[in-house]
């Protein structure tokens, strides 16, 4: 039998649609919580795509594509 996981500790991809409201209510939306989430996301990205033993262009090209998309949206305010 799989161990029961608290809804608070469940990843977003594992949350059922009916549980989404209560899962969002348990998130920490304070400035410190948001900063911590950004920091964890950066660490996850860095360790997966940049800080690897045998790297490729995948991580850097995704970062560049994101920058291009953002700069395009900033340049054209009607989008």
């Amino acid at each position: 039998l799989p161990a029961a996981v608290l809804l608070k500790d469940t990843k977003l991809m594992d949350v059922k649609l009916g549980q989404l409201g209560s899962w969002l209510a348990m998130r920490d939306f304070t400035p410190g919580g948001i900063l911590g989430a950004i920091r964890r996301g950066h660490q996850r990205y860095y360790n997966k795509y940049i800080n690897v033993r045998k790297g490729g262009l995948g991580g850097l090209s995704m970062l560049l594509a994101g920058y291009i998309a953002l700069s395009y949206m900033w340049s054209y305010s009607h989008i």
Side-chain angles (χ1 to χ4, degrees), residues 24-73:
L24 281 172
M26 291 182 197
R27 300 294 99 198
D28 184 12
F29 289 108
T30 62
I34 293 171
L35 186 64
I38 292 171
R39 191 174 293 140
R40 285 190 306 274
H42 175 264
Q43 280 298 115
R44 191 174 302 131
Y45 173 82
Y46 182 81
N47 286 330
K48 187 171 183 179
Y49 294 108
I50 306 297
N51 189 24
V52 292
R53 187 178 302 249
K54 188 175 179 182
L57 294 177
L60 293 175
S61 62
M62 282 194 327
L63 194 62
L64 182 62
Y67 173 72
I68 290 171
L70 276 176
S71 63
Y72 183 78
M73 288 189 301

